[in-house]
Amino acid sequence: MLNEQQIRDIIAETNTKLDWAVQDRNARFDALGLDSLDRFDILVGLQEATGIEVPDDDVEKLHSVAAIETYFADK
């Protein structure tokens, strides 16, 4: 199970556009100005860090730090 800080650290490693330490955990990635390539990079980083593959059907669910935390808590 990943906690919020671990998620933020993984995202910060894969995306340097924003200071992830200060971003609202509920802010949607698209509202933060991240495009589909940015989101893909974040997803790959999460999958590599956790060893958990995210099915294509679930990718759209991962739209914020909070959503990622909830998703991976169930894995």
Side-chain angles (χ1 to χ4, degrees):
M1 181 170 110
L2 294 175
N3 66 37
E4 182 178 351
Q5 187 56 53
Q6 291 169 315
I7 293 167
R8 287 178 183 274
D9 291 346
I10 292 166
I11 293 173
E13 288 176 18
T14 60
N15 183 280
T16 58
K17 287 184 176 181
L18 300 170
D19 180 356
W20 289 97
V22 298
Q23 298 303 320
D24 176 9
R25 67 188 303 276
N26 294 306
R28 293 182 61 91
F29 294 146
D30 53 351
L32 296 173
L34 301 180
D35 61 23
S36 59
L37 183 56
D38 296 323
R39 292 178 61 210
F40 176 77
D41 290 341
I42 290 170
L43 177 63
V44 169
L46 289 164
Q47 290 181 132
E48 288 176 354
T50 62
I52 297 171
E53 187 169 332
V54 178
D56 291 340
D57 292 345
D58 290 347
V59 170
E60 289 301 316
K61 296 177 186 175
L62 307 179
H63 52 74
S64 67
V65 171
I68 290 170
E69 187 175 14
T70 300
Y71 182 85
F72 280 95
D74 293 337
K75 303 297 177 207

